[in-house]
Amino acid sequence: MTRWWHAWCDEVRHVLTDHAVLLVFGGGLLFYALLYPLPYHRNVPGEQAVAVLDHDRGALARQLVRWVDATPQIRITAQPRSLYEARALLAAGTVHGLLVIPEQFERDVYLGRPTTLSYAGDASYFLIYSNIVQGLVTAGTTLTVQTQVARALRSGENPARIPGQVMALRVTPEPVFNSSGGYINYIVPAVFALILHQTLLITAGSVTVKDRRRRAAGQMAAPPGMALMLRGLLFVLIYVFFALLYFGFFFALYDVPRVAPPWALLGVAGVFLASTTVCAMLIGYLVSRPELPTVVVLITSLPIVFTAGFAWPAQSLPAGLDALSWVLPARPGIQALLTLNQMGGGLAGVRDELLVLVVQGLVYALLLGKLVQRQTKKSVLPS
């Protein structure tokens, strides 16, 4: 028992006296949690600037423009005279959407001929694009219904039947998982999980490399198996604290919705962090210098963002890239935490991700054991 206690104290001392690790804890975890969400705070898409290119310039077209401007999603800010000028406004970011009213629009509408309203939007920001399309479709549908009613009155039909004919279904969009419709609720939960994953790879990986160097230099140390188990436990405990800070305090600070019971969130986060810790220690046995885990993290960060399933649909990934994204714990961990805490999926909804994390942890542990065994044999062989 005393031996385990001394080994535990050594691990705690190595972590708390490592300036690089403390810098990641303070600068990478705490500072980044405050810095990253700032650009997205209160970033809810409201009225979007839209340009109207009116080739008709009739009364009905002007009425449509007023209705578009009256929708809560759109603000008409420009009426260019040509498509070239409209495209320039869109490319410069002066407006985020474009409505093109064709020539003879009013005549075709009153004659009952098919006419086409052209919409365009900046799809770089899908929430903005969605807002613009929703506003334009609402105004266009309202105009369609009104013209149908007017035509029915002129022909002596019952206008009460017209709305049902034109709009068999009335769509009322209600956001389920992103209640505010803002970017902060969409991006911050996934990025916070990614920050935990990446900084854990850096800290636990570099501490493992430094431990190997101390052993190679002949310094007294606990047996590798004991040290790795205690180090894994120590990092899981440290990062569970940061996970509670992220998913508790910072989520409350930024008004990010939380629906998972604390015990379930703690359990899933614990499995995710345990698998990531073993992966970090495996990296620590695969590289030779303590700064190399940081290089690994820098190389993998952007690919993880686009393959973890929150910035880009995982179903749209190429098969090879999709399979490769399951090698690290980031994707199942992020998916499990988002499903549980933001979508209310429950533990049954994250069963597959938890199984992947457990299998990953076991495979990492097996590979880590093989590497430790091989390096221990080398160290005892006569030179």
Side-chain angles (χ1 to χ4, degrees), residues 189-198 243 247 251 264-265 267-276 304 307-310 325-343 349-358 360-361 364:
V191 170
F192 273 11
L194 181 62
I195 293 172
L196 293 174
H197 178 271
Q198 298 297 78
F247 304 141
F251 273 18
L265 181 62
V268 172
V271 175
F272 169 51
L273 296 172
S275 179
T276 307
I304 288 176
T307 57
F310 66 93
S325 67
W326 292 98
V327 172
L328 291 174
R331 177 171 172 180
I334 291 173
Q335 289 295 322
L337 290 171
L338 291 180
T339 303
L340 185 74
N341 204 27
Q342 267 58 56
M343 302 169 68
V350 299
R351 183 179 52 195
D352 293 344
E353 286 79 6
L354 286 176
L355 180 61
V356 172
L357 287 170
V358 171
Q360 283 179 336
Y364 298 148

Side-chain angles (χ1 to χ4, degrees), residues 61-379:
R62 292 195 294 274
Q63 184 178 8
L64 174 63
V65 173
R66 288 195 297 273
W67 284 355
V68 170
D69 194 39
T71 60
Q73 296 91 0
I74 292 176
R75 182 179 74 258
I76 302 297
T77 58
Q79 295 199 18
R81 295 184 176 277
S82 67
L83 187 58
Y84 177 80
E85 186 181 346
R87 284 177 175 172
L89 291 172
L90 199 60
T94 307
V95 298
H96 293 293
L98 173 64
L99 167 63
V100 180
I101 302 175
E103 294 179 355
Q104 310 299 336
F105 169 72
E106 184 172 353
R107 186 200 64 180
D108 290 343
V109 167
Y110 285 131
L111 291 176
R113 295 174 180 170
T115 185
T116 302
L117 291 172
S118 301
Y119 305 148
D122 181 3
S124 305
Y125 304 94
F126 73 92
L127 290 179
I128 292 177
Y129 180 76
S130 172
N131 244 29
I132 291 172
V133 170
Q134 186 180 348
L136 292 176
V137 168
T138 300
T141 305
T142 304
L143 181 71
T144 303
V145 173
Q146 192 207 40
T147 53
Q148 291 283 347
V149 170
R151 189 180 304 129
L153 289 173
R154 285 197 301 271
S155 61
E157 295 180 12
N158 182 5
R161 299 177 54 192
I162 299 303
Q165 294 173 357
V166 176
M167 301 173 63
L169 293 176
R170 188 176 296 277
V171 178
T172 305
E174 285 289 342
V176 178
F177 305 124
N178 186 356
S179 55
S180 68
Y183 280 95
I184 197 164
N185 290 347
Y186 152 63
I187 198 73
V188 165
V191 170
F192 273 11
L194 181 62
I195 293 172
L196 293 174
H197 178 271
Q198 298 297 78
T199 56
L200 183 50
L201 290 183
I202 292 174
T203 52
S206 65
V207 168
T208 301
V209 176
K210 291 171 185 175
D211 177 68
R212 286 174 50 211
R213 285 192 163 189
R214 284 192 294 270
R215 293 174 188 277
Q219 295 184 17
M220 293 293 292
M226 178 189 294
L228 287 171
M229 282 190 284
L230 293 174
R231 188 177 310 140
L233 177 62
L234 176 60
F235 272 98
V236 169
L237 291 176
I238 292 172
Y239 271 78
V240 163
F241 165 76
F242 282 116
L244 293 175
L245 194 66
Y246 271 34
F247 304 141
F249 173 76
F250 285 113
F251 273 18
L253 181 66
Y254 301 126
D255 292 327
V256 176
R258 296 160 293 170
V259 295
W263 59 268
L265 181 62
L266 188 63
V268 172
V271 175
F272 169 51
L273 296 172
S275 179
T276 307
T277 303
V278 183
C279 179
M281 293 190 294
L282 175 62
I283 293 174
Y285 263 83
L286 289 173
V287 300
S288 57
R289 298 202 305 270
E291 64 272 18
L292 289 181
T294 304
V295 177
V296 173
V297 167
L298 290 176
I299 294 173
T300 58
S301 289
L302 200 55
I304 288 176
V305 167
F306 286 102
T307 57
F310 66 93
W312 183 262
Q315 296 80 4
S316 301
L317 292 174
L321 199 58
D322 183 51
L324 193 62
S325 67
W326 292 98
V327 172
L328 291 174
R331 177 171 172 180
I334 291 173
Q335 289 295 322
L337 290 171
L338 291 180
T339 303
L340 185 74
N341 204 27
Q342 267 58 56
M343 302 169 68
L347 287 176
V350 299
R351 183 179 52 195
D352 293 344
E353 286 79 6
L354 286 176
L355 180 61
V356 172
L357 287 170
V358 171
V359 171
Q360 283 179 336
L362 293 175
V363 172
Y364 298 148
L366 181 63
L367 295 174
L368 180 60
K370 292 288 184 185
L371 287 175
V372 171
Q373 190 177 28
R374 191 175 68 179
Q375 294 195 10
T376 304
K377 284 182 180 178
K378 283 183 179 178
S379 65

